[in-house]
Amino acid sequence: MDTVGDGLDAALRKAFTRPIPKSAGAQMRYLVRQLKGTRPVAELLGITQRTVERYVKDQIRRPRPDLARRMEREVTQRWQPQIRARAKDTAATTGGIVIDTRARFGYTAAPGSTDDARLRHLTVALPPQYAARLFETKEAGGTEQQLRDIAAEALGEVYFRDNGRRAQGLEVEFTDVEHLEFDL
């Protein structure tokens, strides 16, 4: 995962209690139930209403690769909303979130200390307030840069400043992300 938003989505998918439907017909029937009709599904996926009906009746079994990806993405976004909401609530109130990243960290510090950016691999448990801010910003349509800034602030506070016990005034920059993964 290169983006914070994708990493948060992947962490929520790990909370699912059942796998998403596998076959094209099952995925299409799920979308028709969720959107309450074949016309909204057709508009969402960019195909004809008749094609949706044929998938629902299992007259078509193998979608084109691009359509298969769109169907899977849309089903995954709507799958188990209560489980997803419960996982977000737990992370934002009591559990927090674990971030595992390999990225370049630079910082501004007091004169006389080095501020050269270095590539680091960190696995850090972030407190619930940062998990809440990440999820709220993502739901509000925040940009990738805003999400990275929140992650950098959280890593700076928890890892580099050790919750205020050292390195006061240190500002962390989070760039050149090679790997990013979240876990609830």
Side-chain angles (χ1 to χ4, degrees):
M1 303 283 153
D2 286 354
T3 66
V4 177
D6 290 344
L8 291 172
D9 289 340
L12 290 175
R13 281 194 298 272
K14 291 177 188 175
F16 288 165
T17 57
R18 293 185 332 234
I20 67 168
K22 297 289 182 209
S23 72
Q27 288 179 351
M28 198 64 78
R29 285 188 288 277
Y30 177 78
L31 288 173
V32 168
R33 275 194 311 273
Q34 290 297 307
L35 298 175
K36 298 177 180 28
T38 56
R39 179 169 289 150
V41 174
E43 291 172 1
L44 176 73
L45 296 174
I47 56 178
T48 65
Q49 185 175 355
R50 179 67 187 132
T51 303
V52 172
E53 293 166 357
R54 290 174 66 200
Y55 276 109
V56 168
K57 293 179 183 178
D58 281 329
Q59 293 173 344
I60 304 175
R61 294 189 185 275
R62 294 181 187 258
R64 300 180 319 265
D66 62 324
L67 178 59
R69 282 191 300 273
R70 288 194 311 254
M71 284 173 37
E72 185 173 349
R73 184 185 70 235
E74 295 300 332
V75 168
T76 302
Q77 286 178 354
R78 291 165 176 79
W79 189 248
Q80 294 189 330
Q82 292 174 339
I83 301 287
R84 186 185 308 259
R86 194 175 319 130
K88 282 182 190 177
D89 187 49
T90 301
T93 56
T94 57
I97 195 166
V98 176
I99 184 172
D100 177 50
T101 186
R102 180 170 169 80
R104 187 167 305 282
F105 289 92
Y107 42 87
T108 55
S113 63
T114 180
D115 59 355
D116 291 337
R118 289 190 286 188
L119 197 61
R120 294 176 188 243
H121 181 231
L122 301 177
T123 302
V124 179
L126 302 179
Q129 65 264 23
Y130 289 111
R133 284 183 54 202
L134 283 167
F135 285 124
E136 288 168 2
T137 303
K138 180 161 176 21
E139 287 175 9
T143 64
E144 179 64 22
Q145 188 57 48
Q146 289 172 323
L147 292 170
R148 282 188 185 200
D149 290 345
I150 294 170
E153 180 183 336
L155 288 169
E157 182 63 32
V158 174
Y159 181 78
F160 291 101
R161 289 189 294 272
D162 196 17
N163 294 320
R165 288 192 282 271
R166 61 186 165 116
Q168 284 77 18
L170 183 78
E171 294 299 321
V172 177
E173 295 174 11
F174 185 45
T175 58
D176 298 337
V177 177
E178 291 181 6
H179 167 77
L180 179 68
E181 189 174 325
F182 290 95
D183 199 9
L184 301 176

